[in-house]
Structure formats: C-alpha cells, structure tokens
Amino acid sequence: MTGHTQNEITIAAPVDLVWDMTNDVANWPRLFSEYAAADILEQEGNKVTFRLTMHPDENGTVWSWVSERETDRRALRVKARRVETGPFAHMDIVWQYEEVPAGTRMVWTQDFAMKPDAPVDDDWMTDNINRNSKVQMALIRDKIEKAATGRRPDPALAD
C-alpha cells in the first residue's frame, strides 16, 4: 500500500510573491510553524538540498531529514523528495502553482510509503499529512497575504 495526499489553497497574492516566499527554503522556519530550522546543504542552479528540523513533538522527539527540491519557474512546478527517508520507504512531493482570478492557487501532492518497521502505517500518515497540510497552508496564506498588502495598490485609490 502507498499513501497519497493532495491539498490546495488559494492565496490572494500575485504568483511571483507566492513563488518567491514558498521557495525560499532558508526562511521556511518563519513561514511554517512546524520547522525549527532549515539548513541549506547544497544549491546548484534550480536544485537545492537541505536539512529540515522540526520542533520537538509531544514526546520531545526532534525529527530531522534531508530533502531536495528542484524548481521549474516556467512551469510553476516544484518536485521534491526526501533523501534521508527516515520512517518512509519513499516520499515524493510536487508543488504546483496557478494564477487564478483570486490570486494564486497552490497545490501540494505527496506520494509516499511507510517502511514496514515504521511506527505508523500509510493510512495514519495520510491522515496526518492531510490534517497538517491544511494548517500549514492556512498559515502560509495568511503570511503571504499580509506581505502582499504592502505591494498592491489600494483599489479605492486607483483612479
């Protein structure tokens, strides 16, 4: 069995701002509430390898892993995968962006499988990712929309 999730949100901000803020991996601890640190290990062209460290969980465990992301600005698409898989047999992620009338639609798709000896199974992780993605996407939306308010002219003043 494998896990698959797809979550999306529309952000009332220009795609350039959404793209720039969500692909600035070094600043993810300011964008996401779950990350304590994001350390860039290597960057070459549009590919970045980095270590993410989470805040301690309810048991005091600090989870950390290495991932890589490759951005395709023209296609408004990012492909990522865990290099250090930890409890996952594999974890592949695609972020897709789309300009829409209300701003920018951002879609996260994750395909994964848990290792047989992992402490949780694919179903548990699917539920966990779906629950957490909604929380993180809402936080990201709010932060980007706040940043966008200083970049867009006030419609009431546009005459």
Side-chain angles (χ1 to χ4, degrees):
M1 190 173 159
T2 60
H4 171 84
T5 65
Q6 185 165 319
N7 290 278
E8 68 177 74
I9 197 162
T10 298
I11 302 170
V15 71
D16 288 336
L17 180 62
V18 176
W19 177 271
D20 290 346
M21 287 183 71
T22 59
N23 286 294
D24 183 359
V25 175
N27 282 309
W28 277 7
R30 289 188 202 99
L31 196 60
F32 291 81
S33 65
E34 62 189 337
Y35 301 136
D39 301 305
I40 306 301
L41 304 176
E42 185 178 337
Q43 187 149 13
E44 186 177 319
N46 61 345
K47 186 176 178 182
V48 61
T49 304
F50 56 98
R51 174 171 296 283
L52 285 176
T53 304
M54 297 184 77
H55 295 289
D57 67 15
E58 63 277 354
N59 299 317
T61 304
V62 175
W63 298 93
S64 179
W65 64 91
V66 173
S67 291
E68 64 181 23
R69 286 172 66 82
E70 191 163 355
T71 59
D72 182 343
R73 179 64 178 89
R74 187 180 326 207
L76 294 175
R77 185 179 182 92
V78 178
K79 290 184 180 180
R81 70 180 185 90
R82 281 193 181 203
V83 177
E84 290 179 3
T85 58
F88 293 92
H90 69 89
M91 168 62 86
D92 300 304
I93 305 168
V94 175
W95 288 20
Q96 186 70 50
Y97 303 78
E98 178 186 5
E99 289 186 83
V100 295
T104 302
R105 180 174 166 251
M106 183 174 67
V107 181
W108 295 348
T109 304
Q110 293 174 267
D111 290 295
F112 60 91
M114 303 308 295
K115 290 179 180 174
D117 61 348
V120 299
D121 64 13
D122 293 338
D123 288 338
W124 185 94
M125 187 56 72
T126 298
D127 290 342
N128 186 61
I129 290 172
N130 279 327
R131 199 172 33 257
N132 191 52
S133 291
K134 288 172 181 48
V135 169
Q136 296 304 315
M137 288 179 130
L139 288 169
I140 290 167
R141 178 200 59 215
D142 294 349
K143 290 175 183 179
I144 293 174
E145 288 179 354
K146 184 176 180 184
T149 58
R151 297 175 186 234
R152 289 183 285 157
D154 184 344
L157 303 176
D159 272 323

